[in-house]
Amino acid sequence: MQPVVLDTDVASLTHKGRLTGPLATRLIGRKPLITFVTFGELTQWTEIRNWGSLRRQELADWLSGIPVLPGDEAVAATWGKLSAAGRQDGRPQPTNDTWIAACCLTYDLPLATLNLKDYEYFKDKHNLRILGEG
């Protein structure tokens, strides 16, 4: 089963059972992974949106079956290179998107996202593989 990293938007829709369309089809038969960033963002949403214990437990149960890519030294080194390159190109990228791209590039994994523009720079300049709409 080929692994794929789910961006936070795709992870959220998948958890809710609302991911449809071409991307949902492309994910069939793939092993979903998330990054430590997506884990953090999903956790943040439960706090900001004041989820109750039932919804939090449903998310926790779903997350328990999804491996989480860590922000280890190799990922941090890749993040540093990506972040510097974006600044040098005059195109600094959002921090969390850069961390997610760094995880994908470090582990040579494709990213499933519906936010294609958010990762266009990483695709064009750093060969990030993206599974998305279209």
Side-chain angles (χ1 to χ4, degrees), residues 71-85 98-99 102-103 105-106:
D72 58 18
E73 289 178 8
V75 171
T78 302
W79 180 89
K81 291 174 185 174
L82 293 176
S83 182
T98 304
W99 279 114
C103 284
L105 291 167
T106 299

Side-chain angles (χ1 to χ4, degrees), residues 40-58:
E41 288 179 337
L42 292 172
T43 301
Q44 178 189 49
W45 291 356
T46 68
E47 296 296 323
I48 290 172
R49 295 174 179 149
N50 206 20
W51 284 14
S53 59
L54 178 61
R55 287 188 69 199
R56 287 174 193 253
Q57 187 59 54
E58 287 172 349

Side-chain angles (χ1 to χ4, degrees), residues 18-30:
R18 293 190 201 155
L19 184 66
T20 60
L23 183 55
T25 302
R26 288 187 190 115
L27 293 178
I28 294 172
R30 287 184 172 263

Side-chain angles (χ1 to χ4, degrees), residues 46-121:
T46 68
E47 296 296 323
I48 290 172
R49 295 174 179 149
N50 206 20
W51 284 14
S53 59
L54 178 61
R55 287 188 69 199
R56 287 174 193 253
Q57 187 59 54
E58 287 172 349
L59 179 61
D61 291 346
W62 183 78
L63 286 170
S64 72
I66 308 287
V68 178
L69 296 173
D72 58 18
E73 289 178 8
V75 171
T78 302
W79 180 89
K81 291 174 185 174
L82 293 176
S83 182
R87 287 174 157 231
Q88 290 170 334
D89 289 344
R91 295 181 62 190
Q93 300 298 302
T95 302
N96 283 357
D97 293 346
T98 304
W99 279 114
I100 291 170
C103 284
C104 292
L105 291 167
T106 299
Y107 294 106
D108 192 26
L109 296 168
L111 176 66
T113 186
L114 295 171
N115 298 322
L116 300 176
K117 282 195 167 250
D118 293 352
Y119 293 95
E120 185 176 319
Y121 172 79

